[in-house]
Amino acid sequence: MFKRILIANRGEIALRIVRCCREMGIESVVAFSTADRESLPVMEATDSICIGPAAASESYLNPEIIVQAAKQKHCDAIHPGYGFLSENADFADLCEENGIVFIGPSGAIIRHMGDKQAARKLMMEHQVPVVPGSKELLENADQAVAMAEQIGYPVMLKASAGGGGKGMRRAFNEEEVRSAFETAKAEARAAFGNDDMYMEKLIVDPHHIEFQILADCEGNTVYLGERDCSIQKNNQKLLEESPSAVLTPQLRKEMGETAVRAAKAAGYYSAGTVEFILDASGAYYFIEMNTRIQVEHPVTEEITGIDLIREQIRIALGMKLGFTQDEIGIEKHAIECRINALTPGTIQFVHFPSGYGVRIESHLFTGYQVSPYYDSMIAKVIVSGRTRLEAIRRLRRVLEEIVIDGIKTNYDFMYLLTYHPVFLKGNYTTGFWEQNHEQMEDWLKEGIRSEAG
Ligand code: ADP
Ligand code: ADP
Ligand code: MG
């Protein structure tokens, strides 16, 4: 067993990992920037250490300082959470070189899957369907145009190093391919220091369906059902649920087994996610693998009863999975709603509801200062029920009770979403936000809102 784990992250996910460590009898050390000195994970951890100023590039994104902090505090492992260094292969290698266990897959696996074009190639070699598109990187705009003509418009230009919805552009004609090639390349260079580009056919209005994977070091690999993450704004997820209303049991099994094949092709171990898009005809395509814990992991925990952070820690210790595919039963429905801050500021008052089937993951407290430096997500509301309708009604109840005073949030939009007929049907696509947000914002202006909000 590990004695001490350093947590190289902040906010709700740092708190989530601190709590898991405590339950497992492991000491936790939170590495924090000066902006996070007064934060719940720092207060709840066994110990903490300042790793630099607010700017993430000088603290949460600095591999050397974090490894030094882990050594100074005598930690035997590092949990990277999500975002920041969680998908940085060099960081995983650096941990290993310093005799510290990186809680996640090896640097080599992260490197291979983090290169999205290389991951596509690997999948094609293992009969995992990928979106029709380029087999090699695109050298220049002329090549991009030729490729677009070959696969047929519309197309999607994507950065091989991309993440968080960045470095991606749609194009409907030659002129758009030429301009998108330059702008996406520049965006990728600025965000990731790598501007390799590839191309996929643009699948119009697909569903984003991803499968949670767990694999141990002996190659035992299982899928823990899917998550439907089609409610997105600018390719960033806003709400996730499981099971998806658009999968039949047969398609779920087929996609789940494909996800396991994808993970095995990568030699994968730890928790990971295989992302697919599913089109209107029921065809599905691999888009990428995320080699880390995801923001929306609690949805899967609620329906399976499996603690994914605990499993990551057990796998990092070399322990075998304690269950097989057949032993994973899903009898519940769970929904996660992300509450984002639309402005920075001080929380004047916060009240989080509780009650049957409700789970809130958040680092907020009354008096907390929402910093402009980091991600705008301030809370995740997760509800579960026996049926989808029960979960939706519970989500409405929670959103009616919740109080977050002092800053603007996306609360109103999320509350209205729980009443939207397209959402209620459950067959929404990634086009939902674009097709509906203006009308929903008009409704909000007209005053159709909860009095409690
Ligand atoms: P998930 O599938 O877990 O929602 P996201 O792609 O939304 O994954 O990213 C999870 C977190 O990591 C978010 O907080 C997001 O802002 C951050 N993130 C993801 N990719 C990057 C990146 N390339 N650079 C900076 N932050 C990122
Ligand atoms: P990231 O690494 O930024 O998460 P992804 O490749 O996972 O990028 O894509 C993010 C989102 O963009 C998907 O959830 C989907 O909504 C959309 N998307 C990606 N590729 C395509 C495509 N070929 N056609 C249509 N939508 C796509
Ligand atoms: Mg993705």
Side-chain angles (χ1 to χ4, degrees):
M1 189 49 72
F2 296 128
K3 188 170 183 310
R4 288 193 132 202
I5 293 177
L6 183 108
I7 298 160
N9 215 299
R10 61 177 303 285
E12 67 87 19
I13 192 65
L15 188 57
R16 166 80 183 84
I17 301 163
V18 165
R19 286 169 168 165
C20 184
C21 287
R22 179 171 290 168
E23 289 171 13
M24 293 179 78
I26 302 171
E27 293 177 356
S28 57
V29 179
V30 168
F32 64 93
S33 78
T34 52
D36 288 325
R37 193 178 292 281
E38 311 287 327
S39 70
L40 270 183
V42 169
M43 286 182 245
E44 292 293 329
T46 315
D47 197 356
S48 61
I49 180 166
C50 184
I51 49 164
S57 58
E58 293 172 54
S59 48
Y60 297 111
L61 288 172
N62 188 323
E64 284 79 20
I65 288 184
I66 291 169
V67 168
Q68 274 315 311
K71 286 176 128 175
Q72 191 184 324
K73 289 290 184 182
H74 306 289
C75 296
D76 19 46
I78 294 183
H79 197 303
Y82 54 71
F84 297 128
L85 295 176
S86 61
E87 291 179 284
N88 184 312
D90 295 340
F91 178 62
D93 286 343
L94 187 68
C95 290
E96 196 171 314
E97 285 157 22
N98 282 273
I100 296 167
V101 176
F102 176 80
I103 301 176
S106 69
I109 295 172
I110 298 174
R111 201 168 281 116
H112 198 157
M113 300 313 273
D115 178 340
K116 292 166 82 174
Q117 172 66 13
R120 259 173 77 79
K121 256 187 146 163
L122 182 70
M123 293 306 129
M124 288 185 245
E125 287 159 19
H126 287 82
Q127 288 74 50
V128 172
V130 301
V131 188
S134 51
K135 293 198 172 62
E136 305 295 336
L137 294 174
L138 299 167
E139 301 288 332
N140 52 49
D142 288 339
Q143 261 190 21
V145 170
M147 181 54 62
E149 272 157 19
Q150 194 186 321
I151 60 186
Y153 288 103
V155 297
M156 180 84 117
L157 272 155
K158 295 174 89 167
S160 204
K166 288 207 192 84
M168 218 184 301
R169 290 285 185 289
R170 297 182 236 180
F172 290 79
N173 54 51
E174 176 177 345
E175 200 184 322
E176 287 182 7
V177 169
R178 289 190 187 278
S179 73
F181 187 78
E182 299 309 329
T183 53
K185 215 172 162 62
E187 186 173 294
R189 200 179 311 126
F192 317 112
N194 173 332
D195 62 2
D196 289 347
M197 300 298 299
Y198 66 104
M199 188 181 285
E200 287 177 355
K201 184 155 186 65
L202 178 77
I203 308 294
V204 178
D205 281 350
H207 304 277
H208 174 115
I209 306 285
E210 59 182 36
F211 279 77
Q212 177 68 52
I213 294 294
L214 274 179
D216 64 26
C217 296
E218 292 179 19
N220 300 303
T221 309
V222 297
Y223 66 93
L224 303 179
E226 77 280 10
R227 292 182 290 254
D228 191 327
C229 311
S230 305
I231 305 279
Q232 306 181 349
K233 175 183 176 181
N234 304 330
N235 302 318
Q236 277 279 6
K237 300 159 188 167
L238 284 177
L239 178 141
E240 304 94 348
E241 65 176 312
S242 187
S244 165
V246 299
L247 295 194
T248 60
Q250 192 193 338
L251 186 55
R252 173 171 301 113
K253 186 166 188 283
E254 190 186 322
M255 290 179 77
E257 286 169 358
T258 305
V260 166
R261 197 159 72 244
K264 287 195 166 177
Y268 201 82
Y269 62 90
S270 190
T273 299
V274 180
E275 295 191 334
F276 296 102
I277 47 181
L278 172 71
D279 73 14
S281 76
Y284 60 90
Y285 311 95
F286 169 92
I287 49 171
E288 66 160 343
M289 181 163 192
N290 291 323
T291 55
R292 56 169 162 86
I293 196 73
Q294 290 200 247
V295 174
E296 58 273 22
H297 76 276
V299 168
T300 300
E301 295 182 327
E302 291 306 311
I303 60 162
T304 59
I306 292 169
D307 180 333
L308 291 170
I309 303 287
R310 179 188 156 90
E311 292 305 321
Q312 280 188 304
I313 293 172
R314 291 181 78 255
I315 293 166
L317 281 161
M319 295 165 83
K320 282 206 293 187
L321 285 185
F323 44 84
T324 61
Q325 189 68 55
D326 294 341
E327 288 166 338
I328 298 162
I330 295 170
E331 273 151 30
K332 286 206 286 181
H333 193 98
I335 307 177
E336 173 183 276
C337 165
R338 300 191 190 190
I339 307 290
N340 295 326
L342 301 179
T343 53
T346 303
I347 304 295
Q348 303 295 342
F349 181 73
V350 56
H351 166 70
F352 285 134
S354 55
Y356 190 64
V358 177
R359 167 173 173 188
I360 311 261
E361 295 286 345
S362 175
H363 55 294
L364 285 204
F365 53 84
T366 298
Y368 178 81
Q369 297 225 353
V370 177
S371 157
Y373 286 100
Y374 311 114
D375 199 62
S376 61
M377 192 179 75
I378 50 174
K380 306 189 301 204
V381 171
I382 305 108
V383 294
S384 58
R386 282 168 306 171
T387 62
R388 182 165 190 265
L389 184 58
E390 192 175 295
I392 292 173
R393 297 178 84 152
R394 191 157 284 145
L395 180 58
R396 290 176 183 165
R397 186 267 283 176
V398 173
L399 291 177
E400 282 168 11
E401 272 185 59
I402 205 167
V403 184
I404 301 175
D405 282 344
I407 57 161
K408 278 183 126 163
T409 73
N410 64 339
Y411 161 86
D412 283 333
F413 183 89
M414 298 312 287
Y415 183 67
L416 190 53
L417 177 65
T418 66
Y419 285 91
H420 198 289
V422 175
F423 174 69
L424 289 177
K425 268 192 159 172
N427 62 351
Y428 52 81
T429 68
T430 59
F432 178 86
W433 193 82
E434 225 166 84
Q435 287 151 17
N436 294 289
H437 80 104
E438 279 173 11
Q439 185 186 43
M440 288 169 77
E441 279 149 18
D442 284 346
W443 287 343
L444 290 172
K445 273 188 220 126
E446 286 161 21
I448 304 173
R449 54 187 294 175
S450 143
E451 290 306 311

